[in-house]
């Protein structure tokens, strides 16, 4: 999806070319993934002659939001507080990070 969000439309070969540099996926795997994403209506394509050009149907923000909610449901039973507490205990936060988090929380209380 990141390849398509960065530069769409892309042919399967263009997606394969980008992913070859980042993964060890075979071209058939990438084509299967593109087909599955199309079946799930996350992407679509236009066809010119025998060439398919793929493009996203969902934005990156929509996808991130959906995946975040799915993760919360699977791992934390949908509760955000345990995730946040665990994150805050485990991560090294800079003063700037802490300030930004405080501002976000203050905005939520308004």
């Amino acid at each position: 999806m990141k390849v398509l969000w960065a530069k769409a439309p892309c042919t399967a070969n263009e997606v394969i070319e980008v992913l070859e540099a980042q993964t060890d996926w075979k071209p058939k795997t990438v084509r299967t993934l593109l087909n599955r994403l199309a079946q799930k209506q996350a992407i679509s394509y236009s066809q010119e002659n025998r060439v398919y050009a793929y493009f996203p149907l969902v934005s990156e923000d929509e996808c991130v939001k959906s995946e975040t909610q799915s993760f919360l449901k699977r791992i934390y039973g949908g509760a955000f507080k345990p995730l946040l507490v665990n994150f805050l205990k485990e991560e090294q936060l800079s003063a700037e990070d802490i300030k930004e988090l405080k501002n976000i929380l203050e905005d939520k209380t308004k």
Side-chain angles (χ1 to χ4, degrees), residues 18-104:
V18 170
L19 292 179
E20 276 180 337
Q22 302 170 2
T23 68
D24 60 351
W25 292 0
K26 304 281 187 239
K28 186 173 180 170
T29 302
V30 175
R31 291 179 194 281
T32 299
L33 178 60
L34 290 170
N35 287 333
R36 288 185 180 167
L37 288 170
Q39 288 172 354
K40 292 181 178 188
Q41 298 181 342
I43 66 173
S44 190
Y45 57 87
S46 59
Q47 182 180 2
E48 192 169 312
N49 298 323
R50 293 177 57 185
V51 177
Y52 292 84
Y54 296 90
F55 54 91
L57 292 177
V58 294
S59 71
E60 188 170 5
D61 287 342
E62 290 172 314
C63 190
V64 168
K65 184 177 178 182
S66 176
E67 286 301 311
T68 300
Q69 290 170 348
S70 175
F71 176 79
L72 276 176
K73 286 178 186 172
R74 282 191 330 262
I75 306 300
Y76 292 96
F80 177 70
K81 184 178 175 183
L83 168 72
L84 184 59
V85 169
N86 186 50
F87 173 78
L88 291 173
K89 285 181 180 178
E90 297 299 322
E91 288 298 313
Q92 295 292 332
L93 300 173
S94 68
E96 185 178 317
D97 291 337
I98 293 169
K99 182 179 177 183
E100 185 177 351
L101 288 169
K102 283 181 180 179
N103 288 338
I104 291 169

